[in-house]
Amino acid sequence: MPLRATIGGNDTHAYEYTEEGWTSLKTSYKATNLLMPCCSSLAIPKTSKLGTFFFAHKQKAECNSAPESAEHIYLKTLVAKAAIEAGWTTCTEYRGRSPADEDWVADVLCKNGCATVAFEIQLSPVPYSDIAERTERYRRSKVRAAWLVDSTKFKEWKSNSNKNYPIFGVNRFDTVEPPTVQHFERPVDEFVKALLSKKVQWIAEPWEYDIFYIEDVCWKCNEPVKQVYGSAIDVYGESAKTVPNASTVLSKFFDFITNDELRSLGLNTIEKHEKLKGNAPGFPYCNVCIHCGAPQNNHYLMNHLQKQNREFGEAKFTSPREGSGNWVWLNDNCGSQASTTSLTVGSRGQ
Ligand SMILES: [Zn+2]
Ligand SMILES: [Zn+2]
């Protein structure tokens, strides 16, 4: 059931009416051409059991739009009003289309300058993959999505919420008091305002890797080199154990670090050398001398790893690409931080 209808072709939003305005619309609407936005059939202004104003079909037979609960329209109203208070323009049940011709309908679409945020209220259970898919569809339309979900139906919302998929659990409610957002314990309307005003931001915790190396000498140029042979993050680590396994371990470096970054740490880089003598067939990854570019085959590496007189070392690398994090309500005196992402970042398709 929408909060939006049209009168004479112009949008009218139920949440923009005062008590008196709504009462007067209820007596006067028959003389106007009040239509539903979903199917352009006649609309009636109604008031829900939670006291929310909304529009209903005069005859619903013809329309296939899904019915919405009183809780859903109440939350939509709260979100729309909060966004307006935060200085955004809003439209509910907004119909849009991605460049790939995918249709979508946003519960509440909020605009401010070139930033666009779609709030979706999801009180019935759906798989998280649906939420992710719909978020991606919005992203393709240069719209940032934010989800308000029922915390009793989506108990794992927090671990599924991240910078790309902002998901927030709303506590159950059956009164006309705004419900609170779980974990933040603030009313939904206050939370939405904070989100749109960048007071709630994603704080990233970049992942720190340890890279294991041995102090060695390049067989070709005789310069000292740091031959890499393993890496670890937290308690998860892997070191080369055999000649073929060295290639496998080294190939995984590219999941978190580039050759330029290895070089900047003073470590050897890693390359694929298919037919190099001393590499196992089908296991082509090996160290490459930082000075002369000569491949250091894995037989050579394993041999030196097993010698007792080598110096072992560890280099620290903080991945700028990966990490975990949290949505955090920032204090008033907290300035903008390099590692934070507000909801409005990325809404321009960046
Ligand atoms: Zn309809
Ligand atoms: Zn060399």
Side-chain angles (χ1 to χ4, degrees), residues 36 38-39 41 57 63 65:
M36 295 296 276
C38 39
C39 58
S41 65
H57 295 88
C63 184
S65 62

mmCIF file of all heavy atoms in Angstrom, residues 36 38-39 41 57 63 65, ligand 1:
data_model
loop_
_atom_site.group_PDB
_atom_site.id
_atom_site.type_symbol
_atom_site.label_atom_id
_atom_site.label_comp_id
_atom_site.label_asym_id
_atom_site.label_seq_id
_atom_site.Cartn_x
_atom_site.Cartn_y
_atom_site.Cartn_z
ATOM 1 N N MET A 36 -3.878 5.723 -7.817
ATOM 2 C CA MET A 36 -2.770 4.922 -7.296
ATOM 3 C C MET A 36 -1.592 4.981 -8.274
ATOM 4 O O MET A 36 -1.798 4.932 -9.490
ATOM 5 C CB MET A 36 -3.207 3.464 -7.129
ATOM 6 C CG MET A 36 -4.285 3.259 -6.097
ATOM 7 S SD MET A 36 -3.746 3.700 -4.441
ATOM 8 C CE MET A 36 -2.918 2.177 -3.956
ATOM 9 N N CYS A 38 0.680 2.665 -8.750
ATOM 10 C CA CYS A 38 1.025 1.350 -9.287
ATOM 11 C C CYS A 38 0.226 1.019 -10.537
ATOM 12 O O CYS A 38 0.740 0.402 -11.471
ATOM 13 C CB CYS A 38 0.820 0.278 -8.218
ATOM 14 S SG CYS A 38 -0.634 0.525 -7.190
ATOM 15 N N CYS A 39 -1.061 1.402 -10.558
ATOM 16 C CA CYS A 39 -1.927 0.938 -11.644
ATOM 17 C C CYS A 39 -2.877 2.016 -12.147
ATOM 18 O O CYS A 39 -3.730 1.740 -12.989
ATOM 19 C CB CYS A 39 -2.719 -0.282 -11.178
ATOM 20 S SG CYS A 39 -3.702 0.077 -9.712
ATOM 21 N N SER A 41 -5.391 3.208 -10.875
ATOM 22 C CA SER A 41 -6.812 3.059 -10.534
ATOM 23 C C SER A 41 -7.141 4.033 -9.399
ATOM 24 O O SER A 41 -6.252 4.646 -8.814
ATOM 25 C CB SER A 41 -7.112 1.616 -10.126
ATOM 26 O OG SER A 41 -6.430 1.305 -8.937
ATOM 27 N N HIS A 57 -6.217 1.009 -2.777
ATOM 28 C CA HIS A 57 -7.010 0.885 -3.996
ATOM 29 C C HIS A 57 -8.495 0.934 -3.643
ATOM 30 O O HIS A 57 -8.912 0.299 -2.678
ATOM 31 C CB HIS A 57 -6.738 -0.456 -4.684
ATOM 32 C CG HIS A 57 -5.348 -0.617 -5.196
ATOM 33 N ND1 HIS A 57 -4.336 -1.108 -4.420
ATOM 34 C CD2 HIS A 57 -4.807 -0.355 -6.410
ATOM 35 C CE1 HIS A 57 -3.221 -1.157 -5.133
ATOM 36 N NE2 HIS A 57 -3.477 -0.693 -6.353
ATOM 37 N N CYS A 63 -5.071 -4.834 -9.677
ATOM 38 C CA CYS A 63 -3.660 -4.520 -9.431
ATOM 39 C C CYS A 63 -2.924 -5.716 -8.841
ATOM 40 O O CYS A 63 -3.442 -6.421 -7.983
ATOM 41 C CB CYS A 63 -3.542 -3.342 -8.478
ATOM 42 S SG CYS A 63 -1.840 -2.837 -8.219
ATOM 43 N N SER A 65 0.141 -5.334 -7.331
ATOM 44 C CA SER A 65 1.154 -4.890 -6.374
ATOM 45 C C SER A 65 0.933 -5.599 -5.040
ATOM 46 O O SER A 65 -0.201 -5.835 -4.627
ATOM 47 C CB SER A 65 1.121 -3.368 -6.200
ATOM 48 O OG SER A 65 -0.119 -2.963 -5.689
HETATM 49 ZN ZN ZN B 1 -2.363 -0.657 -7.987
#
